[in-house]
Amino acid sequence: MFTTPKSVLVTGAAGFIAGNFIRKFQKEYPKTEIVGLDNFFNSTEEAVPAGIVFYEGSIRDEQSLEKIFSKHKPEYVFNFAAMSYVPLSVEKPVETSDVNITGTILVFKKSSEHGVKRVIHSSTSAIVGTAKHYPTNEKDNPPDPLSPYAAQKLACEPFAKIFGNLYGLDVACLRYFNVFGPGQYGVSPYSTVISAWLEAIYFPKNKKAVLFGDGENRRDYCYVDDVVDANIACMRHDGKFGGEVFHIGTETYFSVNQVKELIEKFTGRSLELDRQPSRAGDARDTLADTGKARQFFGYTPKVSFEEGLKRTVAWFEQRKK
């Protein structure tokens, strides 16, 4: 039976998803010590949430990991850390593989050595590539990674099962579909088209709006609060996951052109787009079947795309810079 943990470790703690996760976790479990780790590859010190024990470092640094696990003895590990940018993985497949594969294995290794109850590992829908069936479930769509990043994330999933079978470490792998929401700055190359275009509207000196391809590609956009809830539900789950993979999305999708229309509607401003060719490694469409996650641990997306977009617009409107 689940009991409130004394300590948890959050890797990639200064990132967009992890930051939202930490702030909600603090409200739900105010007595739990939250230990954060980040090397600011895709973030800054200002992005570290207040009220946590923070270490600057990489998941590739085994000595740092050993120090953290030995001192804080986390009961659960939320592994958000990654070099999660498809074009960067195309440009630097070796360096990104070192972090995304070897770094993840190190997190699994230290977790198993220190008796962690469960690792909730952040994976990606990019593993599926161009799906054969929509909505896309975990069973009927064999992996077809179109980029080194997708292949790197795919490589970690068998290790999740192996660490369960050989070392007794319980791991759940959550494949996120196009996460967006407050806290995602559009200047980052890792942002969704939503935050990139809102950045161009509200902070035009920072960013110009770019459309890759014809805009008819469709995405299952998942609001960040639903991803956070999925992580917390995995922690609370009384059964074993054994390295199982789950799709975390909304079971709805919108074309990029539809996104443009809704952004213009909710902001009352027009978007002038710099049209460019499609990017290498991007799937044409994504649409999640979340039935397995619902069945295993009660995942239910609560925030519609339109509502999530309104909340994201409101966050951009109140930003100072």
Side-chain angles (χ1 to χ4, degrees), residues 129-189:
T130 301
K132 291 179 171 57
H133 306 283
Y134 292 96
T136 307
N137 66 30
E138 298 83 353
K139 182 179 179 181
D140 297 335
N141 293 272
D144 182 25
L146 302 178
S147 67
Y149 171 65
Q152 292 153 6
K153 284 293 189 178
L154 174 60
C156 296
E157 293 181 353
F159 276 99
K161 288 186 177 290
I162 289 167
F163 268 83
N165 294 333
L166 294 183
Y167 309 110
L169 176 68
D170 194 40
V171 183
C173 299
L174 305 183
R175 291 178 179 170
Y176 306 147
F177 281 66
N178 304 283
V179 187
F180 76 102
Q184 189 178 56
Y185 288 82
V187 290
S188 167

Short mmCIF file of all heavy atoms in Angstrom, two decimals, residues 129-189:
data_model
loop_
_atom_site.label_atom_id
_atom_site.label_comp_id
_atom_site.label_asym_id
_atom_site.label_seq_id
_atom_site.Cartn_x
_atom_site.Cartn_y
_atom_site.Cartn_z
N GLY A 129 7.03 6.82 -34.37
CA GLY A 129 7.26 7.28 -35.73
C GLY A 129 5.94 7.48 -36.46
O GLY A 129 4.99 8.03 -35.91
N THR A 130 5.85 7.00 -37.68
CA THR A 130 4.62 7.07 -38.44
C THR A 130 3.79 5.84 -38.11
O THR A 130 4.12 4.73 -38.55
CB THR A 130 4.90 7.14 -39.95
OG1 THR A 130 5.69 8.31 -40.23
CG2 THR A 130 3.59 7.24 -40.74
N ALA A 131 2.75 6.02 -37.34
CA ALA A 131 1.98 4.89 -36.84
C ALA A 131 1.18 4.22 -37.95
O ALA A 131 0.78 4.84 -38.93
CB ALA A 131 1.04 5.36 -35.73
N LYS A 132 0.92 2.93 -37.75
CA LYS A 132 0.11 2.17 -38.70
C LYS A 132 -1.37 2.28 -38.36
O LYS A 132 -2.23 2.08 -39.21
CB LYS A 132 0.55 0.71 -38.69
CG LYS A 132 1.93 0.48 -39.30
CD LYS A 132 2.32 -0.99 -39.25
CE LYS A 132 3.60 -1.25 -40.06
NZ LYS A 132 4.72 -0.44 -39.61
N HIS A 133 -1.68 2.56 -37.09
CA HIS A 133 -3.06 2.66 -36.65
C HIS A 133 -3.24 3.91 -35.78
O HIS A 133 -2.38 4.24 -34.98
CB HIS A 133 -3.46 1.42 -35.83
CG HIS A 133 -3.21 0.12 -36.54
ND1 HIS A 133 -4.02 -0.36 -37.53
CD2 HIS A 133 -2.21 -0.79 -36.37
CE1 HIS A 133 -3.54 -1.53 -37.95
NE2 HIS A 133 -2.44 -1.80 -37.28
N TYR A 134 -4.39 4.59 -35.96
CA TYR A 134 -4.72 5.74 -35.12
C TYR A 134 -6.09 5.51 -34.49
O TYR A 134 -6.99 5.03 -35.18
CB TYR A 134 -4.74 7.03 -35.96
CG TYR A 134 -3.39 7.45 -36.47
CD1 TYR A 134 -2.97 7.11 -37.75
CD2 TYR A 134 -2.53 8.18 -35.66
CE1 TYR A 134 -1.73 7.50 -38.21
CE2 TYR A 134 -1.28 8.58 -36.12
CZ TYR A 134 -0.88 8.24 -37.40
OH TYR A 134 0.35 8.62 -37.86
N PRO A 135 -6.28 5.86 -33.21
CA PRO A 135 -5.24 6.31 -32.29
C PRO A 135 -4.22 5.22 -32.03
O PRO A 135 -4.49 4.03 -32.21
CB PRO A 135 -6.02 6.69 -31.03
CG PRO A 135 -7.29 5.92 -31.12
CD PRO A 135 -7.61 5.79 -32.57
N THR A 136 -3.04 5.63 -31.60
CA THR A 136 -1.88 4.76 -31.50
C THR A 136 -1.79 4.12 -30.12
O THR A 136 -1.60 4.82 -29.12
CB THR A 136 -0.59 5.58 -31.76
OG1 THR A 136 -0.74 6.26 -33.00
CG2 THR A 136 0.62 4.68 -31.81
N ASN A 137 -1.89 2.78 -30.08
CA ASN A 137 -1.68 2.11 -28.80
C ASN A 137 -0.28 1.51 -28.74
O ASN A 137 0.50 1.60 -29.69
CB ASN A 137 -2.77 1.07 -28.53
CG ASN A 137 -2.71 -0.11 -29.50
OD1 ASN A 137 -1.67 -0.48 -30.01
ND2 ASN A 137 -3.87 -0.71 -29.74
N GLU A 138 0.05 0.91 -27.63
CA GLU A 138 1.40 0.43 -27.40
C GLU A 138 1.66 -0.91 -28.10
O GLU A 138 2.81 -1.25 -28.38
CB GLU A 138 1.65 0.27 -25.89
CG GLU A 138 1.54 1.56 -25.09
CD GLU A 138 0.12 1.92 -24.71
OE1 GLU A 138 -0.83 1.24 -25.17
OE2 GLU A 138 -0.05 2.89 -23.94
N LYS A 139 0.61 -1.66 -28.39
CA LYS A 139 0.77 -3.03 -28.89
C LYS A 139 0.76 -3.15 -30.41
O LYS A 139 1.55 -3.87 -30.99
CB LYS A 139 -0.34 -3.91 -28.30
CG LYS A 139 -0.26 -5.38 -28.69
CD LYS A 139 -1.38 -6.17 -28.05
CE LYS A 139 -1.33 -7.64 -28.47
NZ LYS A 139 -2.44 -8.43 -27.88
N ASP A 140 -0.16 -2.44 -31.06
CA ASP A 140 -0.40 -2.63 -32.49
C ASP A 140 0.47 -1.77 -33.39
O ASP A 140 0.34 -1.84 -34.61
CB ASP A 140 -1.87 -2.35 -32.81
CG ASP A 140 -2.80 -3.32 -32.12
OD1 ASP A 140 -2.35 -4.44 -31.80
OD2 ASP A 140 -3.97 -2.95 -31.88
N ASN A 141 1.32 -0.95 -32.78
CA ASN A 141 2.17 -0.06 -33.57
C ASN A 141 3.63 -0.30 -33.21
O ASN A 141 4.14 0.26 -32.24
CB ASN A 141 1.80 1.40 -33.32
CG ASN A 141 0.41 1.73 -33.84
OD1 ASN A 141 0.24 2.09 -34.99
ND2 ASN A 141 -0.58 1.58 -32.97
N PRO A 142 4.31 -1.15 -33.96
CA PRO A 142 5.72 -1.43 -33.64
C PRO A 142 6.55 -0.16 -33.75
O PRO A 142 6.27 0.72 -34.57
CB PRO A 142 6.13 -2.45 -34.70
CG PRO A 142 5.15 -2.28 -35.82
CD PRO A 142 3.87 -1.86 -35.17
N PRO A 143 7.57 -0.02 -32.92
CA PRO A 143 8.40 1.18 -32.95
C PRO A 143 8.99 1.43 -34.33
O PRO A 143 9.44 0.50 -35.02
CB PRO A 143 9.50 0.88 -31.92
CG PRO A 143 8.87 -0.10 -30.98
CD PRO A 143 7.98 -0.94 -31.84
N ASP A 144 9.00 2.68 -34.73
CA ASP A 144 9.59 3.08 -36.01
C ASP A 144 10.25 4.45 -35.81
O ASP A 144 9.80 5.45 -36.37
CB ASP A 144 8.52 3.14 -37.09
CG ASP A 144 9.08 3.52 -38.45
OD1 ASP A 144 10.29 3.26 -38.69
OD2 ASP A 144 8.32 4.07 -39.28
N PRO A 145 11.32 4.51 -34.99
CA PRO A 145 11.94 5.81 -34.70
C PRO A 145 12.51 6.46 -35.96
O PRO A 145 13.18 5.81 -36.75
CB PRO A 145 13.05 5.45 -33.71
CG PRO A 145 13.33 4.00 -33.92
CD PRO A 145 12.03 3.39 -34.35
N LEU A 146 12.23 7.75 -36.12
CA LEU A 146 12.67 8.49 -37.31
C LEU A 146 13.85 9.41 -37.02
O LEU A 146 14.31 10.09 -37.93
CB LEU A 146 11.50 9.31 -37.85
CG LEU A 146 10.24 8.53 -38.23
CD1 LEU A 146 9.15 9.48 -38.71
CD2 LEU A 146 10.55 7.49 -39.29
N SER A 147 14.32 9.42 -35.78
CA SER A 147 15.44 10.29 -35.41
C SER A 147 16.30 9.58 -34.37
O SER A 147 15.83 8.65 -33.70
CB SER A 147 14.91 11.60 -34.81
OG SER A 147 14.27 11.34 -33.56
N PRO A 148 17.55 10.01 -34.21
CA PRO A 148 18.37 9.46 -33.13
C PRO A 148 17.71 9.62 -31.76
O PRO A 148 17.78 8.72 -30.93
CB PRO A 148 19.67 10.25 -33.23
CG PRO A 148 19.76 10.61 -34.68
CD PRO A 148 18.35 10.90 -35.09
N TYR A 149 17.06 10.76 -31.52
CA TYR A 149 16.41 10.98 -30.23
C TYR A 149 15.37 9.90 -29.96
O TYR A 149 15.31 9.32 -28.86
CB TYR A 149 15.76 12.36 -30.17
CG TYR A 149 14.88 12.56 -28.96
CD1 TYR A 149 15.44 12.57 -27.68
CD2 TYR A 149 13.51 12.72 -29.09
CE1 TYR A 149 14.63 12.74 -26.56
CE2 TYR A 149 12.70 12.90 -27.98
CZ TYR A 149 13.26 12.90 -26.71
OH TYR A 149 12.47 13.05 -25.60
N ALA A 150 14.52 9.63 -30.95
CA ALA A 150 13.50 8.59 -30.78
C ALA A 150 14.13 7.23 -30.55
O ALA A 150 13.68 6.45 -29.70
CB ALA A 150 12.59 8.56 -32.01
N ALA A 151 15.20 6.93 -31.28
CA ALA A 151 15.89 5.64 -31.10
C ALA A 151 16.53 5.55 -29.72
O ALA A 151 16.56 4.47 -29.10
CB ALA A 151 16.95 5.47 -32.20
N GLN A 152 17.05 6.66 -29.24
CA GLN A 152 17.67 6.69 -27.91
C GLN A 152 16.63 6.38 -26.83
O GLN A 152 16.88 5.59 -25.91
CB GLN A 152 18.32 8.05 -27.67
CG GLN A 152 19.54 8.32 -28.53
CD GLN A 152 19.78 9.81 -28.78
OE1 GLN A 152 19.10 10.67 -28.21
NE2 GLN A 152 20.74 10.12 -29.64
N LYS A 153 15.48 7.02 -26.92
CA LYS A 153 14.42 6.77 -25.95
C LYS A 153 13.91 5.33 -26.04
O LYS A 153 13.61 4.69 -25.02
CB LYS A 153 13.28 7.76 -26.14
CG LYS A 153 13.57 9.15 -25.61
CD LYS A 153 13.70 9.14 -24.09
CE LYS A 153 13.77 10.51 -23.49
NZ LYS A 153 13.86 10.50 -22.02
N LEU A 154 13.82 4.84 -27.27
CA LEU A 154 13.41 3.44 -27.46
C LEU A 154 14.40 2.48 -26.81
O LEU A 154 14.00 1.49 -26.18
CB LEU A 154 13.29 3.13 -28.95
CG LEU A 154 13.01 1.67 -29.32
CD1 LEU A 154 11.69 1.19 -28.70
CD2 LEU A 154 12.99 1.51 -30.84
N ALA A 155 15.69 2.78 -26.92
CA ALA A 155 16.71 1.89 -26.35
C ALA A 155 16.59 1.75 -24.84
O ALA A 155 16.97 0.72 -24.27
CB ALA A 155 18.10 2.43 -26.71
N CYS A 156 16.04 2.77 -24.19
CA CYS A 156 15.93 2.73 -22.72
C CYS A 156 14.80 1.82 -22.24
O CYS A 156 14.85 1.31 -21.12
CB CYS A 156 15.70 4.15 -22.18
SG CYS A 156 17.07 5.28 -22.47
N GLU A 157 13.80 1.62 -23.06
CA GLU A 157 12.63 0.86 -22.61
C GLU A 157 12.94 -0.60 -22.31
O GLU A 157 12.48 -1.12 -21.27
CB GLU A 157 11.49 1.03 -23.61
CG GLU A 157 10.97 2.45 -23.65
CD GLU A 157 9.82 2.68 -24.60
OE1 GLU A 157 9.47 1.74 -25.35
OE2 GLU A 157 9.26 3.80 -24.59
N PRO A 158 13.70 -1.31 -23.13
CA PRO A 158 14.08 -2.68 -22.74
C PRO A 158 14.91 -2.71 -21.46
O PRO A 158 14.80 -3.66 -20.67
CB PRO A 158 14.90 -3.19 -23.94
CG PRO A 158 14.47 -2.35 -25.08
CD PRO A 158 14.15 -1.01 -24.50
N PHE A 159 15.73 -1.69 -21.24
CA PHE A 159 16.52 -1.64 -20.00
C PHE A 159 15.59 -1.52 -18.79
O PHE A 159 15.92 -2.03 -17.70
CB PHE A 159 17.51 -0.47 -20.04
CG PHE A 159 18.78 -0.79 -20.73
CD1 PHE A 159 19.00 -0.40 -22.05
CD2 PHE A 159 19.80 -1.50 -20.09
CE1 PHE A 159 20.17 -0.71 -22.71
CE2 PHE A 159 20.99 -1.80 -20.73
CZ PHE A 159 21.17 -1.42 -22.05
N ALA A 160 14.45 -0.87 -18.95
CA ALA A 160 13.49 -0.77 -17.84
C ALA A 160 13.01 -2.17 -17.43
O ALA A 160 12.90 -2.48 -16.24
CB ALA A 160 12.31 0.11 -18.25
N LYS A 161 12.73 -3.01 -18.41
CA LYS A 161 12.33 -4.39 -18.12
C LYS A 161 13.49 -5.20 -17.56
O LYS A 161 13.33 -5.98 -16.61
CB LYS A 161 11.77 -5.05 -19.38
CG LYS A 161 10.41 -4.55 -19.80
CD LYS A 161 9.87 -5.35 -20.97
CE LYS A 161 8.46 -4.89 -21.35
NZ LYS A 161 7.47 -5.26 -20.32
N ILE A 162 14.67 -5.02 -18.14
CA ILE A 162 15.85 -5.77 -17.69
C ILE A 162 16.18 -5.47 -16.24
O ILE A 162 16.48 -6.37 -15.45
CB ILE A 162 17.05 -5.45 -18.61
CG1 ILE A 162 16.85 -6.08 -19.99
CG2 ILE A 162 18.36 -5.92 -17.98
CD1 ILE A 162 17.80 -5.58 -21.04
N PHE A 163 16.09 -4.20 -15.87
CA PHE A 163 16.41 -3.84 -14.49
C PHE A 163 15.37 -4.41 -13.52
O PHE A 163 15.68 -4.64 -12.35
CB PHE A 163 16.55 -2.32 -14.34
CG PHE A 163 17.95 -1.85 -14.51
CD1 PHE A 163 18.48 -1.62 -15.77
CD2 PHE A 163 18.78 -1.65 -13.41
CE1 PHE A 163 19.78 -1.19 -15.93
CE2 PHE A 163 20.08 -1.23 -13.55
CZ PHE A 163 20.60 -0.99 -14.82
N GLY A 164 14.15 -4.62 -14.00
CA GLY A 164 13.17 -5.29 -13.16
C GLY A 164 13.48 -6.77 -13.01
O GLY A 164 13.46 -7.32 -11.90
N ASN A 165 13.78 -7.42 -14.14
CA ASN A 165 14.03 -8.87 -14.12
C ASN A 165 15.31 -9.24 -13.41
O ASN A 165 15.37 -10.23 -12.67
CB ASN A 165 14.07 -9.40 -15.56
CG ASN A 165 12.72 -9.29 -16.25
OD1 ASN A 165 11.68 -9.30 -15.60
ND2 ASN A 165 12.74 -9.17 -17.57
N LEU A 166 16.37 -8.46 -13.60
CA LEU A 166 17.69 -8.82 -13.06
C LEU A 166 17.97 -8.21 -11.70
O LEU A 166 18.66 -8.81 -10.87
CB LEU A 166 18.80 -8.40 -14.03
CG LEU A 166 18.84 -9.12 -15.38
CD1 LEU A 166 20.05 -8.64 -16.18
CD2 LEU A 166 18.89 -10.63 -15.21
N TYR A 167 17.47 -7.00 -11.47
CA TYR A 167 17.87 -6.26 -10.26
C TYR A 167 16.70 -5.88 -9.35
O TYR A 167 16.91 -5.26 -8.31
CB TYR A 167 18.63 -4.98 -10.66
CG TYR A 167 19.75 -5.22 -11.62
CD1 TYR A 167 19.68 -4.77 -12.94
CD2 TYR A 167 20.91 -5.90 -11.23
CE1 TYR A 167 20.71 -4.99 -13.84
CE2 TYR A 167 21.95 -6.13 -12.12
CZ TYR A 167 21.84 -5.67 -13.43
OH TYR A 167 22.87 -5.89 -14.30
N GLY A 168 15.48 -6.24 -9.74
CA GLY A 168 14.33 -5.98 -8.88
C GLY A 168 13.88 -4.54 -8.83
O GLY A 168 13.15 -4.15 -7.91
N LEU A 169 14.28 -3.73 -9.80
CA LEU A 169 13.87 -2.32 -9.83
C LEU A 169 12.58 -2.18 -10.63
O LEU A 169 12.51 -2.60 -11.78
CB LEU A 169 14.96 -1.46 -10.46
CG LEU A 169 14.61 0.03 -10.63
CD1 LEU A 169 14.51 0.72 -9.29
CD2 LEU A 169 15.66 0.72 -11.52
N ASP A 170 11.57 -1.57 -10.05
CA ASP A 170 10.31 -1.37 -10.75
C ASP A 170 10.37 -0.04 -11.52
O ASP A 170 10.67 1.00 -10.95
CB ASP A 170 9.14 -1.34 -9.76
CG ASP A 170 7.81 -1.47 -10.46
OD1 ASP A 170 7.72 -2.26 -11.42
OD2 ASP A 170 6.85 -0.78 -10.07
N VAL A 171 10.08 -0.10 -12.83
CA VAL A 171 10.13 1.09 -13.69
C VAL A 171 8.85 1.18 -14.50
O VAL A 171 8.36 0.18 -15.02
CB VAL A 171 11.34 1.06 -14.65
CG1 VAL A 171 11.39 2.35 -15.49
CG2 VAL A 171 12.64 0.85 -13.90
N ALA A 172 8.32 2.38 -14.60
CA ALA A 172 7.22 2.69 -15.52
C ALA A 172 7.73 3.67 -16.56
O ALA A 172 8.39 4.65 -16.22
CB ALA A 172 6.03 3.28 -14.78
N CYS A 173 7.47 3.41 -17.84
CA CYS A 173 7.91 4.29 -18.93
C CYS A 173 6.69 5.00 -19.51
O CYS A 173 5.76 4.36 -20.00
CB CYS A 173 8.59 3.48 -20.02
SG CYS A 173 10.07 2.58 -19.50
N LEU A 174 6.72 6.32 -19.45
CA LEU A 174 5.60 7.13 -19.94
C LEU A 174 6.00 7.83 -21.24
O LEU A 174 6.90 8.66 -21.26
CB LEU A 174 5.20 8.17 -18.89
CG LEU A 174 4.85 7.64 -17.51
CD1 LEU A 174 4.39 8.79 -16.60
CD2 LEU A 174 3.79 6.55 -17.57
N ARG A 175 5.33 7.47 -22.31
CA ARG A 175 5.58 8.12 -23.61
C ARG A 175 4.67 9.33 -23.75
O ARG A 175 3.48 9.20 -24.00
CB ARG A 175 5.32 7.14 -24.76
CG ARG A 175 6.31 6.00 -24.88
CD ARG A 175 5.91 5.09 -26.03
NE ARG A 175 6.82 3.97 -26.23
CZ ARG A 175 6.56 2.95 -27.05
NH1 ARG A 175 5.45 2.92 -27.74
NH2 ARG A 175 7.44 1.96 -27.16
N TYR A 176 5.26 10.52 -23.63
CA TYR A 176 4.48 11.75 -23.70
C TYR A 176 4.22 12.14 -25.15
O TYR A 176 5.08 12.01 -26.02
CB TYR A 176 5.23 12.91 -23.04
CG TYR A 176 5.67 12.66 -21.62
CD1 TYR A 176 6.86 13.23 -21.16
CD2 TYR A 176 4.93 11.89 -20.74
CE1 TYR A 176 7.29 13.03 -19.86
CE2 TYR A 176 5.35 11.69 -19.44
CZ TYR A 176 6.54 12.26 -19.01
OH TYR A 176 6.96 12.06 -17.72
N PHE A 177 3.03 12.71 -25.37
CA PHE A 177 2.66 13.23 -26.68
C PHE A 177 2.63 14.76 -26.61
O PHE A 177 1.74 15.35 -25.99
CB PHE A 177 1.29 12.70 -27.09
CG PHE A 177 1.29 11.30 -27.64
CD1 PHE A 177 1.61 10.23 -26.82
CD2 PHE A 177 0.98 11.05 -28.97
CE1 PHE A 177 1.62 8.93 -27.31
CE2 PHE A 177 1.00 9.75 -29.47
CZ PHE A 177 1.31 8.68 -28.64
N ASN A 178 3.62 15.43 -27.16
CA ASN A 178 3.62 16.88 -27.42
C ASN A 178 3.10 17.71 -26.25
O ASN A 178 2.02 18.30 -26.29
CB ASN A 178 2.77 17.18 -28.66
CG ASN A 178 3.25 16.42 -29.88
OD1 ASN A 178 4.24 16.77 -30.50
ND2 ASN A 178 2.58 15.32 -30.19
N VAL A 179 3.91 17.75 -25.20
CA VAL A 179 3.51 18.43 -23.97
C VAL A 179 3.64 19.95 -24.14
O VAL A 179 4.63 20.45 -24.67
CB VAL A 179 4.39 17.95 -22.80
CG1 VAL A 179 3.86 18.52 -21.48
CG2 VAL A 179 4.44 16.43 -22.74
N PHE A 180 2.64 20.68 -23.63
CA PHE A 180 2.68 22.14 -23.69
C PHE A 180 2.04 22.71 -22.44
O PHE A 180 1.37 22.00 -21.68
CB PHE A 180 1.94 22.65 -24.94
CG PHE A 180 0.44 22.62 -24.83
CD1 PHE A 180 -0.28 23.77 -24.56
CD2 PHE A 180 -0.26 21.42 -24.97
CE1 PHE A 180 -1.66 23.75 -24.44
CE2 PHE A 180 -1.65 21.39 -24.86
CZ PHE A 180 -2.35 22.55 -24.59
N GLY A 181 2.25 24.01 -22.21
CA GLY A 181 1.61 24.67 -21.08
C GLY A 181 2.45 25.79 -20.51
O GLY A 181 3.54 26.11 -21.02
N PRO A 182 1.98 26.42 -19.44
CA PRO A 182 2.72 27.51 -18.79
C PRO A 182 4.11 27.04 -18.34
O PRO A 182 4.28 25.90 -17.88
CB PRO A 182 1.85 27.85 -17.58
CG PRO A 182 0.48 27.43 -17.98
CD PRO A 182 0.67 26.21 -18.81
N GLY A 183 5.08 27.92 -18.50
CA GLY A 183 6.45 27.59 -18.12
C GLY A 183 7.30 27.11 -19.28
O GLY A 183 8.51 26.96 -19.13
N GLN A 184 6.68 26.90 -20.44
CA GLN A 184 7.44 26.48 -21.62
C GLN A 184 7.76 27.73 -22.45
O GLN A 184 6.88 28.28 -23.13
CB GLN A 184 6.66 25.47 -22.45
CG GLN A 184 7.48 24.84 -23.58
CD GLN A 184 6.68 23.82 -24.36
OE1 GLN A 184 5.61 24.14 -24.88
NE2 GLN A 184 7.18 22.60 -24.44
N TYR A 185 9.00 28.16 -22.39
CA TYR A 185 9.41 29.36 -23.11
C TYR A 185 9.62 29.05 -24.59
O TYR A 185 10.26 28.07 -24.95
CB TYR A 185 10.70 29.92 -22.50
CG TYR A 185 10.51 30.56 -21.16
CD1 TYR A 185 10.46 29.77 -20.00
CD2 TYR A 185 10.35 31.93 -21.02
CE1 TYR A 185 10.25 30.35 -18.75
CE2 TYR A 185 10.16 32.53 -19.78
CZ TYR A 185 10.11 31.72 -18.64
OH TYR A 185 9.90 32.29 -17.41
N GLY A 186 9.11 29.93 -25.43
CA GLY A 186 9.17 29.69 -26.86
C GLY A 186 10.52 29.91 -27.49
O GLY A 186 10.74 29.53 -28.64
N VAL A 187 11.45 30.53 -26.77
CA VAL A 187 12.78 30.76 -27.33
C VAL A 187 13.59 29.48 -27.36
O VAL A 187 14.58 29.37 -28.08
CB VAL A 187 13.56 31.82 -26.53
CG1 VAL A 187 12.95 33.19 -26.74
CG2 VAL A 187 13.61 31.47 -25.05
N SER A 188 13.20 28.49 -26.59
CA SER A 188 13.93 27.23 -26.56
C SER A 188 13.67 26.43 -27.83
O SER A 188 12.53 26.36 -28.31
CB SER A 188 13.50 26.39 -25.35
OG SER A 188 13.99 25.07 -25.48
N PRO A 189 14.70 25.81 -28.40
CA PRO A 189 14.47 24.96 -29.57
C PRO A 189 13.66 23.71 -29.22
O PRO A 189 13.23 22.98 -30.10
CB PRO A 189 15.88 24.59 -30.02
CG PRO A 189 16.73 24.74 -28.81
CD PRO A 189 16.12 25.87 -28.04
#
